[in-house]
Each structure stands twice: as C-alpha cells, then as structure tokens.
C-alpha cells in the first residue's frame, strides 16, 4: 500500500485503499490519497499504467472495486444516478479522445455543460465567446467537431471542461496534440483556475509541462507504477 | 395565421430546444411518423365501427323493445271473437299503450315479399296479427301470456325477445370488438414507438456518454428523445386522422334502403371523436418513449 497525503481543510477527493479491476485482475490497488481544494497535481506513469482509469475513478465514470473513493465527501457507489450527474457538474473533465457531439457546433459543444444544467446560454454568451477566443477557437466556433484538428479539439475540450468554473478539473493528456506555445497557454489557464481555488489533476507524459507548471504554482506529481500510486521523486 | 404556423413549425422542428443535443434520427423519426399515421387511420375506422354498432344496438334494442305481436291461430268461425277478446285484454293490460288488429291489406303487404302481390289471403289459413305498442314502462309478458291462454287459446304473444336479443348481442359484440381494436391499435403504436426509441437510444450510446460526462441527468437525456418521438407521433397521427376522416366522409350516404354498411360513418357530434386520436397517439408515444428511454439509459453504464 502506498499513501500520499496532503491535508488542507476538507478534501475534495479522498481515496482509501481504493482499487479497480475487472475479470478477476486488479489494474489499480491499495491507493490512498487525498486531494485538497485548490491543489494542483500531475499524474504520470508509463502507458497502460492506469492513469485514465484513475481519472475515471475521480469523476465516477468507474467505481472502485475495492476500498473507497470519496468525491466531495460522498461515495459514488452510494449515490443515485442523478446524484452522480449533479456531482459531475462540479467536475470538469478533458477526455483523452475529447468526446464531442458531432452534430453540434464547437460553440454548442463547449456550452454543453451549461445546456444540460439548464442555464441560460445566451446570458453567458460573452463568457463563452471570450473563452473560445482565449483558446484560439473564435474562428471555429461554428465548425463541427470533425472539421477541427486534434489540437483544436483538445483546446475545445478544455474550454468545455472549465465553462462552468467547476471545483475540480481533470485532464487526460490535455496537451498531447498541441504545440508548445498552445501547451503553455492551456497550462496558464489551468494555473489561473488553480489560483482561483480550483483543484487540478492532469495526466501527462510531458515533463516540460510539469516543469513549467512548477515554475508558476505549487504542484504535486504522482506516479502510477505497478498498479499503485506514489509521489514522484524530486528530480521532477 | 402565419405567426401561428411559425410557432407550430418551431415546436415541431427537431432542431429546437434542448432536444438538439440528440442528433437527427431520420430513419426512426420517419418510421415513427408513418406508424403513428397508419395507426391513427385505422383508429378512425375502428372508432367509426364502434360508434356505428353502438347506434345500431341502441336502435334495434329500442325499436324492437317497444313493439310486440300477438298471433291468433283459430278456426275461421272463432277468429273474430278471439281477436276481439285479445284486443280487449290488451287494452286493459298495464304497460300497453295501443293494440290493434292488422287489416287484411297490411297482412298481405307483410307477406308480399315472400308470396307476391296477388296473394289470396282469404283462401289461406293465415293467422290474425295484432300489433301491440308498449308504453315506456312496458308490460309483464308472462302475465299477459297467462291471460291470453285463459281467454283466447289460439293467441300467442311474441314480444320479439328472441329476435332482439341476438341482434342486440351481435351489435354489442361488434361495439366491444371496435373498442378492443382501438386498444390494440394504441398498444401496437406504443410497441412500435418503443422499438424505434430503443433503436434510437442504442444508436446514440456515445451521445449519452458525452451528455453524462458533462453532468446531464437521465431525465434530461430521456426528455430529449421523448419530445422528439412525441412530436413525430403527433404529426403522423394528425395526418392519419385527417385521412381517415376524409375517407369516412366519402363513404356512400346512408339511405333508407341502406343497411348497416352505409351507416358506418360518424353522425353529428360523433365527428369530434376522431379528434382525440392525435393527442392520444402523442400521449402513447410520450409514455412509451419515456419508459423505453429510462430503461435503456439504466442499462447504459
């Protein structure tokens, strides 16, 4: 069992001996971890180590098969589907494959969290347009997702994740398909959100991105190795 | 008028409102509309059948129930005396409004369809018929039979029960069949829309996944599908109902020579009844889609 603790008031996410497996084999096991509000985390590890699975546990797309995961103090296994949906509105997620609705424009896709929360999108149009401009997608606002490049889609996915100003942002390789300049820009957005008190968790292979973040904000680097999570060394 | 049409168009548009999160589903939408239209068309006919048989049952029941016949078979020399006795009995029977012996001409007319116009009635042993008209309370047939037996042995009361009952039973059964047809049509509509909704939901598992990722509740996702299928069913049913009503209106006119078939159409306020078919179809679609959507969503993890 590996334990990485960080205590700063009420934790937004807490894992207690949590694990996940299927067909009798454990992909992740014995993870104990707390994520405090306003903390900034990087998640690293080799491909296939379980970084994406770990992130999915944090927004309840998967539920732990052993131990416990508490999100905002609640175990998703004890919640109804509606309660899980409500909980997800407090979490912004950038999927590795972005996941858009291909029949909606990028602007509508970015506004989707507002739409499903029945918030008046027109009332928040200026924020939406500002955000789209900030991620460099003002010109592509009316384009459909298949018409965008990989990098543009990732920027749009990040914009969608933060449009509702969620308490936690989980990003799975958010800079995988963008150039260094845009990576820096996206990182700056996440750093700004973190400075506003949001909890950030980024799964990445990009050590330069981690170093750039460390230069701006206090971060913690976690590494998944052999199905367990551990604090990364000081070499990062 | 244009404003109303514009609003209706906006309501019917699949691209309006929150249901835009669901991608256009051309095939299932067309299938739903066609099914609802066809079912509404059949429902109008089933309704017409049910209403027509209802009217028929009422008419047969009412007309036959109000009249009876006394048939006197007696030797010629006793016929007049027994006829007078029977009429006297009938005139003093509670529940009988009027009683009169049919004239020879009337009896000849009754037999004319079978024996032709030149029937020599006076040479044949034809029974004397007495028409009995009941009042609203009706008479006691058993008591009347006993009195007739005592005072006019050749008289037989026929209160038409044995004719009326099977006819009324048949009409009532037809009415029940009409109602059952309507229920079956509603159930079939629901089943077809359920299949279409299931197909649409299964085909959009990825959309459901994305909507859940951004915090959509199942009810929200279901409503997007429900609204779409309900509107399609409503539009289809409106078309089918209109077509059905036009077809009924174009049926041949009822006439005195006509029988049951020419009386199949709607009459008077009954023309308003088919108008409930489209909203009912929409309600069936709403319930079916909602149940299907919530069930499928529950299964999609």
């Amino acid at each position: 069992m590996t334990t990485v603790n960080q205590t700063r008031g009420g934790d937004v996410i807490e894992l207690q001996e949590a694990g996940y497996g299927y067909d009798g084999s454990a992909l992740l096991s014995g993870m104990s971890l707390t994520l405090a509000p306003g903390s900034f985390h990087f998640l690293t590890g080799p491909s296939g180590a379980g970084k994406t699975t770990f992130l999915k546990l944090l927004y309840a797309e998967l539920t732990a098969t052993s131990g416990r995961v508490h999100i905002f103090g609640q175990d998703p296994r004890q919640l109804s589907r509606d309660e899980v949906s409500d909980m997800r509105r407090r979490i912004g997620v950038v999927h590795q494959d972005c996941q858009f609705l291909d029949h909606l424009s990028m602007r509508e896709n970015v506004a989707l969290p507002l739409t499903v929360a029945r918030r008046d999108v027109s009332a928040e149009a200026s924020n939406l347009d500002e955000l789209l401009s900030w991620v460099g997608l003002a010109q592509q606002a009316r384009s459909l997702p298949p018409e965008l490049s990989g990098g543009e889609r990732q920027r749009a996915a990040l914009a969608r994740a933060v449009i509702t100003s969620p308490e936690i942002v989980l990003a799975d390789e958010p800079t995988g398909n963008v150039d260094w300049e845009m990576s820096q820009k996206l990182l700056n957005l996440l750093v700004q959100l973190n400075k506003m008190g949001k909890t950030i968790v980024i799964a990445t292979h990009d050590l330069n991105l981690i170093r750039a973040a460390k230069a701006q904000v206090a971060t913690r680097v976690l590494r998944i190795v052999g199905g367990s999570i551990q604090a990364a060394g000081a070499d990062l | 008028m244009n404003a109303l049409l514009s609003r209706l168009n906006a309501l019917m548009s699949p691209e309006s409102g929150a249901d835009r999160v669901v991608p256009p589903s051309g095939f299932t939408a067309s299938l739903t509309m066609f099914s609802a239209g066809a079912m509404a068309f059949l429902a109008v006919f089933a309704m017409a059948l049910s209403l027509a048989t209802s009217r028929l049952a009422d008419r047969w029941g009412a007309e036959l129930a109000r009249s009876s016949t006394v048939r006197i078979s007696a030797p010629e020399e006793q016929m007049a005396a027994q006829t007078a006795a029977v009429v006297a009995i009938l005139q003093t029977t509670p529940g009988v409004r009027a009683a009169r012996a049919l004239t020879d001409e009337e009896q000849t007319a009754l037999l004319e369809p079978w024996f032709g116009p030149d029937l020599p009635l006076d040479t044949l042993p034809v029974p004397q018929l007495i028409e009995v008209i009941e009042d609203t309370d009706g008479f006691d047939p058993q008591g009347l039979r006993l009195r007739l037996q005592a005072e006019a042995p050749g008289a037989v009361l026929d209160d038409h029960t044995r004719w009326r009952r099977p006819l009324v039973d048949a009409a009532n059964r037809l009415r029940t069949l009409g109602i059952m047809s309507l229920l079956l049509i509603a159930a079939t509509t629901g089943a077809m829309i359920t299949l279409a909704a299931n197909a649409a939901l299964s085909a959009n598992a990825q959309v459901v996944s994305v909507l859940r990722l951004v915090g959509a509740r199942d009810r929200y996702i279901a409503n997007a599908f429900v609204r779409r299928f309900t509107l399609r069913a409503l539009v289809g049913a409106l078309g089918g109902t209109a077509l059905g009503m036009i077809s009924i209106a174009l049926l041949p006119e009822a006439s005195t020579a006509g029988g049951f078939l020419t009386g199949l159409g709607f009459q008077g306020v009954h023309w308003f009844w088919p108008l409930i078919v489209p909203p009912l179809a929409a309600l069936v679609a709403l319930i079916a889609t909602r149940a299907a959507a919530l069930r499928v969503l529950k299964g999609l993890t």
Side-chain angles (χ1 to χ4, degrees), chain B:
Chain B
M1 186 63 183
N2 282 341
L4 178 67
L5 284 174
S6 172
R7 287 185 66 179
L8 273 175
N9 188 44
L11 179 71
M12 301 302 176
S13 168
E15 304 308 318
S16 67
D19 64 345
R20 245 184 77 66
V21 299
V22 177
S25 45
F27 175 68
T28 51
S30 305
L31 185 69
T32 305
M33 204 182 295
F34 172 77
S35 303
M39 290 295 116
F41 185 81
L42 294 176
V44 170
F45 274 94
M47 194 176 275
L49 172 73
S50 187
L51 288 170
T53 50
S54 183
R55 284 196 304 270
L56 197 65
D58 290 345
R59 196 170 70 220
W60 283 347
E63 286 180 358
L64 293 174
R66 282 198 301 272
S67 67
S68 304
T69 307
V70 175
R71 188 176 72 251
I72 303 168
S73 301
E76 195 178 346
E77 61 276 14
Q78 294 178 21
M79 187 64 89
Q82 287 207 23
T83 301
V86 168
V87 170
I89 290 169
L90 289 169
Q91 284 172 345
T92 59
T93 301
V96 173
R97 197 179 69 195
R100 68 176 187 88
L102 297 189
T103 63
D104 288 348
E105 290 73 22
E106 286 173 323
Q107 298 210 146
T108 303
L110 285 174
L111 294 171
E112 191 180 310
W114 288 272
F115 297 104
D118 303 323
L119 177 69
L121 198 63
D122 51 343
T123 64
L124 291 172
V126 177
Q128 173 65 52
L129 299 179
I130 298 176
E131 182 187 39
V132 183
I133 307 297
E134 300 174 27
D135 63 17
T136 51
D137 296 331
F139 58 79
D140 168 22
Q142 292 306 320
L144 181 58
R145 278 196 184 93
L146 289 173
R147 288 182 67 194
L148 290 174
Q149 203 173 5
E151 298 186 38
V156 176
L157 171 66
D158 181 1
D159 62 2
H160 298 171
T161 302
R162 65 196 170 106
W163 301 104
R164 186 173 70 233
R165 189 164 294 155
L167 288 173
V168 173
D169 283 352
N172 281 333
R173 227 169 257 189
L174 274 173
R175 177 170 54 187
T176 306
L177 283 174
I179 292 168
M180 280 176 62
S181 301
L182 284 171
L183 293 175
L184 278 173
I185 287 167
T188 307
T189 305
M192 285 193 289
I193 290 173
T194 297
L195 288 174
N198 273 339
L201 279 152
S202 300
N204 286 298
Q206 178 65 19
V207 171
V208 171
S209 167
V210 173
L211 290 172
R212 282 178 168 166
L213 178 72
V214 297
R217 288 183 167 198
D218 280 3
R219 193 177 298 267
Y220 178 91
I221 302 169
N223 281 347
F225 284 93
V226 166
R227 184 170 180 274
R228 179 160 294 185
F229 278 88
T230 302
L231 287 175
R232 293 291 185 279
L234 179 64
V235 171
L238 279 170
T241 300
L243 204 58
M245 289 177 74
I246 291 168
S247 303
I248 294 279
L250 292 177
L251 282 174
E253 287 288 325
S255 67
T256 50
F260 168 72
L261 286 177
T262 53
L264 183 62
F266 299 107
Q267 290 180 0
V269 293
H270 287 170
W271 277 104
F272 288 104
W273 277 101
L275 301 180
I276 69 168
V277 171
L280 269 181
L283 182 66
V284 167
L286 187 149
I287 293 168
T289 313
R290 187 171 185 76
L294 291 176
R295 189 174 58 249
V296 172
L297 287 171
K298 200 174 175 184
L300 287 176
T301 53

